[in-house]
Amino acid sequence: MKVQKQLRIGCILLALLVLGAAVYLLLSRDSVAAFARMEEHTLIIDPGLGGEDGGALSASGHTESAVNLAIALRLDQLMGFYGVPTVLTRDDDISIHDAGARTLREKKVSDLHNRVALINSIENATLISIHQNSFPNYRYHGAQVFYGGGAGSQPLAKCIQGTMQSALDPENNRTPQRIQSTVYLMKNVSCRAVLVECGFLSNPEEERLLQEKAYQMKLAMVLGASYIQSGETQEGESLI
């Protein structure tokens, strides 16, 4: 068992080194300097939903909340390897509602309130909220990024959307959009914030990709590299 554990750790470290080289290739020389400044900021990684609220359900029975968490944990692992400060709003398939919440609606409301409180309590923060899309027509596919009103949100959204397109899906012509005011989390956080719909669980081919560990890591790499590159965004830049 000890030998197997050592081999498993060795494989993980080797994979991280390979991924590190890949992320480095995604960064320009100027972005390396921006990366160093990221130590003064905190990346909040928010796997949307959780617990009883599984969100969208794929035809093969996979829940959105589980996919969100898988990608979020890989992003957290990758950023931790480089010493980038991170906070996960959840690290398990749970809702972070108050103990007094009873109905599913009460739990959803409490969960969102608690996420907002956690996010707004962290200074110099950037929020990346991870979600999956779904639509009755299965032909729709492709990631799309939405941004909030905090300073620097739009440039970060553009960076993620562009990197997603170039690195993962060249045929994806979607553009980053301002999030609707009805989305409670994004409306009420005060920091730079983006919500990333990584793909459509309703599309069979994309749903298959989203279940693959290698593809989940690619998504994490895109999000991580975009976050580091976004360190070049000047503070106070207008997003509107």
Side-chain angles (χ1 to χ4, degrees):
M1 292 296 291
K2 184 176 181 180
V3 173
Q4 290 179 339
K5 183 177 181 180
Q6 289 175 337
L7 287 173
R8 184 165 61 251
I9 293 173
C11 289
I12 292 172
L13 290 175
L14 178 60
L16 286 172
L17 288 173
V18 173
L19 288 167
V23 170
Y24 180 81
L25 291 175
L26 287 173
L27 303 178
S28 66
R29 291 181 180 178
D30 290 338
S31 294
V32 174
F35 170 80
R37 295 196 296 274
M38 288 295 97
E39 294 184 357
E40 302 173 3
H41 299 263
T42 300
L43 173 60
I44 303 174
I45 306 170
D46 173 50
L49 311 168
E52 293 179 46
D53 187 8
L57 184 68
S58 73
S60 60
H62 293 98
T63 62
E64 176 187 354
S65 61
V67 179
N68 297 344
L69 181 61
I71 297 168
L73 291 175
R74 296 185 192 285
L75 176 58
D76 182 59
Q77 180 186 48
L78 187 60
M79 293 293 93
F81 180 71
Y82 286 100
V84 174
T86 61
V87 170
L88 281 162
T89 58
R90 66 179 178 97
D91 59 6
D92 203 350
D93 187 18
I94 58 172
S95 167
I96 57 173
H97 59 265
D98 293 334
R102 294 288 181 261
T103 67
L104 180 58
R105 176 176 174 77
E106 288 175 348
K107 291 177 181 179
K108 285 184 176 183
V109 171
S110 177
D111 174 271
L112 286 172
H113 287 175
N114 288 338
R115 289 185 201 233
V116 168
L118 170 62
I119 293 163
N120 286 340
S121 71
I122 300 172
E123 296 183 356
N124 298 324
T126 293
L127 169 68
I128 296 182
S129 187
I130 298 172
H131 289 259
Q132 312 304 315
N133 220 330
S134 183
F135 197 75
N137 189 328
Y138 67 87
R139 70 183 179 89
Y140 289 103
H141 63 91
Q144 185 162 19
V145 186
F146 298 88
Y147 57 91
S153 301
Q154 186 181 41
L156 176 58
K158 287 182 176 180
C159 185
I160 294 174
Q161 189 76 60
T163 309
M164 286 273 196
Q165 182 180 19
S166 60
L168 298 178
D169 189 4
E171 297 181 359
N172 183 1
N173 295 319
R174 298 179 186 277
T175 59
Q177 300 292 324
R178 180 70 177 264
I179 195 78
Q180 294 181 353
S181 60
T182 54
V183 179
Y184 182 87
L185 180 74
M186 297 290 285
K187 177 183 178 181
N188 288 279
V189 296
S190 56
C191 64
R192 178 171 67 158
V194 295
L195 185 151
V196 184
E197 299 276 9
C198 298
F200 280 77
L201 288 177
S202 50
N203 180 280
E205 178 60 22
E206 197 157 60
E207 191 265 347
R208 181 187 64 79
L209 282 174
L210 290 166
Q211 298 302 325
E212 294 180 358
K213 293 180 180 179
Y215 190 74
Q216 292 170 357
M217 184 57 84
K218 288 178 182 178
L219 287 166
M221 287 169 56
V222 165
L223 296 175
S226 299
Y227 171 67
I228 294 169
Q229 287 177 317
S230 72
E232 296 180 21
T233 302
Q234 294 182 358
E235 294 185 6
E237 180 177 351
S238 175
L239 305 183
I240 308 303

